[in-house]
Amino acid sequence: MDSIMVAELDRRFGIPAVAKVCDGNDGLPRVLVSGSFGHGEMYLHGAHVTSWKPAGKDEVLFISTKARWEEGQAIRGGIPICFPWFRAKADDPRAPAHGFVRTKTWQLKSIAETEAGISVTMFTESDEHTQRWWPGEFRLEHRVTFGSELSLELLCTNTGAAPLRFEEALHTYNRVADVERVRVQGLDSIRFLDNTDSNKEKQQRGDVVMASQTDNAYLDTESPIDLFDPDMRRRIRLTKANSRTTVVWNPWREGAAGLRDLGDGEWKQFVCVEASNILDAAVNLAPGRQHRMTAVLNVEKL
């Protein structure tokens, strides 16, 4: 997108001293927001939230120093959107991992000041490109409200004549001081599928602590989930709705070695805790119907 188009978006949607549309890394357009709540950043590329820093607190999200900022590539870190499948596409290993919406430019719909903060809404729709990989007809909206909390709403509308079945995830990279010292609470006794062990079903015992590669899909999860980071002296709480699964992921040293867009040792600096609907919890959506998944992040000092 050229600078003239970015300037026009800023003229149409920008709010003086509050929200600005401008060039970001490698010229990709982004929305910068600021206010009494703190600061935030969201790219039109993938409708991707790349920063949220509440007032008086540290940055909440992790971004890799080697992230690739270009069309057709996913940004490593922040909050990518996985849709309409999660991980590899079951019937086509050539298809892009985690779907196609995180690697395309979305449209900016609105920027608005609300009581909760500043809401930025972007959308994308099915087209010839998406239908190369998946025949579904859809409209996807992502509304993000930057405030004392970070609120994410992913709304899918079936715009076609056939039913849709899709997976979805808000693949949140939470910044941590040291992955080996954090713990995740709220999943005790929950059944999960361990993707590092052939997706065997297991049951969580106590807090989730990480000492090796972790890729767990927790089933039928509804309660809030807390990520405790003693070194950063904070708790990040995820509260979600219309999300039946929660993914907890870290690639560890071995998995990180295969990720060219992750800096040396950076696997220690994040834990992904993801509101999602994957595997048997995939969403079935009739023609003309809508599905809304929400996730809210809240940070509290310890």
Side-chain angles (χ1 to χ4, degrees):
M1 188 177 293
D2 62 38
S3 296
I4 294 175
M5 294 177 68
V6 173
E8 174 61 15
L9 288 175
D10 187 53
R11 186 192 67 78
R12 290 176 57 197
F13 297 106
I15 304 173
V18 171
K20 180 178 179 62
V21 185
C22 59
D23 287 334
N25 288 315
D26 287 350
L28 292 179
R30 62 181 173 175
V31 178
L32 291 177
V33 300
S34 60
S36 59
F37 70 87
H39 303 278
E41 179 183 71
M42 184 176 179
Y43 275 73
L44 274 71
H45 182 79
H48 196 128
V49 178
T50 51
S51 176
W52 176 50
K53 188 176 181 181
K57 297 174 181 174
D58 294 325
E59 172 63 53
V60 177
L61 303 177
F62 165 86
I63 291 286
S64 171
T65 57
K66 291 189 175 180
R68 300 174 67 179
W69 307 86
E70 56 188 273
E71 188 75 18
Q73 297 293 329
I75 299 167
R76 176 68 65 188
I79 308 179
I81 299 170
C82 305
F83 176 95
W85 58 83
F86 189 75
R87 299 179 182 140
K89 191 170 187 285
D91 59 356
D92 187 355
R94 298 170 302 128
H98 292 313
F100 41 68
V101 302
R102 67 183 186 144
T103 58
K104 63 181 297 195
T105 300
W106 291 43
Q107 303 295 311
L108 183 56
K109 179 181 178 182
S110 65
I111 303 175
E113 291 186 86
T114 71
E115 289 185 1
I118 301 166
S119 290
V120 181
T121 304
M122 300 181 186
F123 71 93
T124 191
E125 298 174 308
S126 50
D127 56 25
E128 290 181 0
H129 172 74
T130 68
Q131 290 178 337
R132 283 177 49 209
W133 301 110
W134 191 63
E137 296 181 58
F138 67 91
R139 176 185 171 96
L140 201 60
E141 280 194 13
H142 192 206
R143 177 179 293 110
V144 179
T145 301
F146 298 89
S148 59
E149 299 180 325
L150 182 67
S151 174
L152 310 157
E153 300 176 67
L154 191 62
L155 175 67
C156 181
T157 303
N158 183 347
T159 57
L164 293 182
R165 180 176 173 83
F166 60 86
E167 296 176 292
E168 59 182 348
L170 294 165
H171 199 314
T172 305
Y173 285 71
N174 299 281
R175 177 177 285 280
V176 300
D178 184 349
V179 66
E180 296 183 75
R181 286 181 44 79
V182 303
R183 65 188 192 276
V184 180
Q185 289 187 344
L187 296 168
D188 184 28
S189 300
I190 300 294
R191 294 177 303 115
F192 67 92
L193 302 179
D194 184 348
N195 195 45
T196 71
D197 189 14
S198 304
N199 262 342
K200 287 182 181 176
E201 184 172 315
K202 303 178 180 180
Q203 188 170 33
Q204 182 64 40
R205 301 296 185 190
D207 296 349
V208 182
V209 293
M210 278 154 277
S212 62
Q213 186 173 3
T214 301
D215 189 358
N216 297 341
Y218 291 87
L219 309 176
D220 299 317
T221 57
E222 296 180 349
S223 300
I225 297 160
D226 291 326
L227 173 61
F228 285 92
D229 187 338
D231 295 340
M232 293 192 77
R233 295 184 177 180
R234 71 181 181 188
R235 180 216 69 193
I236 303 173
R237 170 166 286 184
L238 167 65
T239 306
K240 62 200 188 83
N242 288 333
S243 159
R244 293 177 51 209
T245 55
T246 301
V247 176
V248 177
W249 178 72
N250 181 279
W252 218 251
R253 183 180 292 102
E254 299 79 11
L259 300 175
R260 292 184 299 167
D261 56 355
L262 192 62
D264 291 343
E266 287 186 338
W267 60 272
K268 297 190 73 169
Q269 299 173 16
F270 68 85
V271 175
C272 291
V273 182
E274 312 170 32
S276 57
N277 286 297
I278 68 170
L279 303 169
D280 289 345
V283 177
N284 293 293
L285 197 61
R289 305 291 292 185
Q290 294 184 328
H291 170 81
R292 184 189 310 270
M293 181 176 71
T294 64
V296 178
L297 296 181
N298 181 283
V299 181
E300 191 174 279
K301 290 182 179 180
L302 297 178

